């Protein structure tokens, strides 16, 4: 059983972990942008547009991520949009996480006292300037721990992309124990350890930011 932890196998698992990290980073960057825009639009109560965005967000939040992964990899090519495995996984995670993050952004913006917006606009700033310069910096500080928690969930959710054969951690572990059934338990132990280390470090960072928030 100790052969399961050979350098070749561990390197293969680390390659999978690196793909997991890459997909997570790219997805969270795009999700932050789209989720931030969607959350701001919903917060601003723009006629018609805010309602449309809210409906789209509610629909996505109530869909299984696995279904979205299937859609981006198998359905999009039917309408002429062909993505490789990596970008199909990124697209699916971005769609799903953007909806989740939009709610975090909206809640964070709502948590800032309305008086801040009124004070900014009374000083001569436009609504957009007030939002960017006054409201968002205050909201983002309170949102950061929740955003990091969502990132932790995203990292774990990448394992669902094994269904489209994305060569991430779970996929590579499956290949290893598929060649030798005696490696099943060692591979699950290795996967558990790797996921735990990455997610635990992020959870520590989230806790640190949460504690720092209350120190101000």
């Amino acid at each position: 059983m100790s052969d399961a932890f050979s350098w070749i196998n561990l390197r293969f698992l680390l390659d999978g972990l690196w793909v997991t990290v890459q997909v997570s980073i790219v997805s969270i960057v795009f999700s932050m942008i789209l989720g931030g825009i969607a959350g701001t639009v919903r917060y601003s109560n723009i006629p018609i547009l805010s309602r449309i965005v809210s409906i789209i967000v509610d629909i996505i939040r109530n869909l299984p991520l696995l279904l979205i992964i299937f859609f981006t990899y198998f359905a999009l090519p039917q309408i002429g949009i062909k993505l490789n495995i990596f970008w199909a996984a990124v697209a699916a995670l971005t769609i799903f996480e953007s909806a989740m993050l939009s709610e975090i952004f909206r809640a964070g913006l709502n948590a800032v006292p309305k008086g801040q917006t009124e004070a900014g606009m009374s000083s001569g700033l436009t609504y957009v300037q007030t939002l960017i310069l006054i409201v968002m910096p205050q909201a983002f500080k309170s949102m950061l721990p929740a955003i990091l928690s969502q990132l932790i969930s995203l990292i774990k959710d990448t394992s669902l992309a094994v269904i489209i054969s994305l060569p991430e951690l779970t996929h590579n572990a499956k290949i290893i124990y598929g060649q030798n059934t005696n490696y099943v338990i060692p591979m699950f132990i290795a996967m558990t350890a790797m996921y735990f280390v990455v997610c635990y470090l992020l959870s520590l960072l989230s806790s640190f930011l949460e504690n720092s928030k209350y120190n101000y």
Side-chain angles (χ1 to χ4, degrees):
M1 188 174 292
S2 61
D3 293 341
F5 298 110
S6 66
W7 171 240
I8 293 177
N9 286 346
L10 289 177
R11 186 174 63 182
F12 192 54
L13 288 177
L14 289 172
D15 287 342
L17 180 62
W18 175 234
V19 172
T20 294
V21 171
Q22 285 181 299
V23 170
S24 299
I25 291 174
V26 176
S27 298
I28 199 65
V29 169
F30 288 143
S31 298
M32 286 283 289
I33 296 171
L34 294 178
I37 293 173
T40 302
V41 169
R42 296 177 70 196
Y43 166 80
S44 300
N45 289 321
I46 301 172
I48 301 177
L49 181 59
S50 292
R51 182 58 181 165
I52 293 173
V53 172
S54 294
I55 292 172
I56 293 173
V57 167
D58 287 339
I59 291 173
I60 293 173
R61 290 179 65 223
N62 287 284
L63 291 177
L65 175 56
L66 192 60
L67 178 63
I68 299 175
I69 293 174
F70 273 123
F71 175 79
T72 57
Y73 190 65
F74 295 109
L76 286 183
Q78 302 300 314
I79 59 174
I81 303 174
K82 296 182 180 180
L83 301 173
N84 62 30
I85 294 173
F86 180 90
W87 288 108
V90 167
L93 288 167
T94 297
I95 292 170
F96 187 75
E97 295 300 327
S98 292
M100 299 301 179
L101 287 172
S102 72
E103 190 64 20
I104 294 175
F105 273 93
R106 187 176 71 88
L109 291 169
N110 280 327
V112 177
K114 297 296 183 182
Q116 296 291 317
T117 302
E118 295 170 358
M121 295 184 70
S122 65
S123 67
L125 296 176
T126 64
Y127 177 76
V128 174
Q129 289 173 327
T130 301
L131 198 61
I132 295 174
L133 299 176
I134 297 177
V135 179
M136 283 188 176
Q138 296 180 65
F140 190 75
K141 185 168 64 175
S142 64
M143 290 187 292
L144 202 51
I147 290 173
L148 285 172
S149 295
Q150 193 62 41
L151 174 57
I152 293 172
S153 296
L154 187 152
I155 291 173
K156 291 182 286 187
D157 287 342
T158 58
S159 62
L160 293 175
V162 69
I163 199 68
I164 58 173
S165 299
L166 177 73
E168 44 75 57
L169 180 56
T170 304
H171 173 271
N172 287 8
K174 185 179 179 181
I175 289 177
I176 293 173
Y177 67 68
Q179 296 172 345
N180 189 331
T181 55
N182 292 326
Y183 291 173
V184 172
I185 293 178
M187 287 304 100
F188 273 94
I189 292 174
M191 279 194 297
T192 299
M194 290 182 181
Y195 277 122
F196 174 79
V197 169
V198 174
C199 294
Y200 184 65
L201 289 175
L202 285 172
S203 67
L204 288 178
L205 178 59
S206 178
S207 297
F208 171 78
L209 292 172
E210 183 72 18
N211 293 331
S212 299
K213 181 181 72 173
Y214 291 114
N215 290 331
Y216 285 97

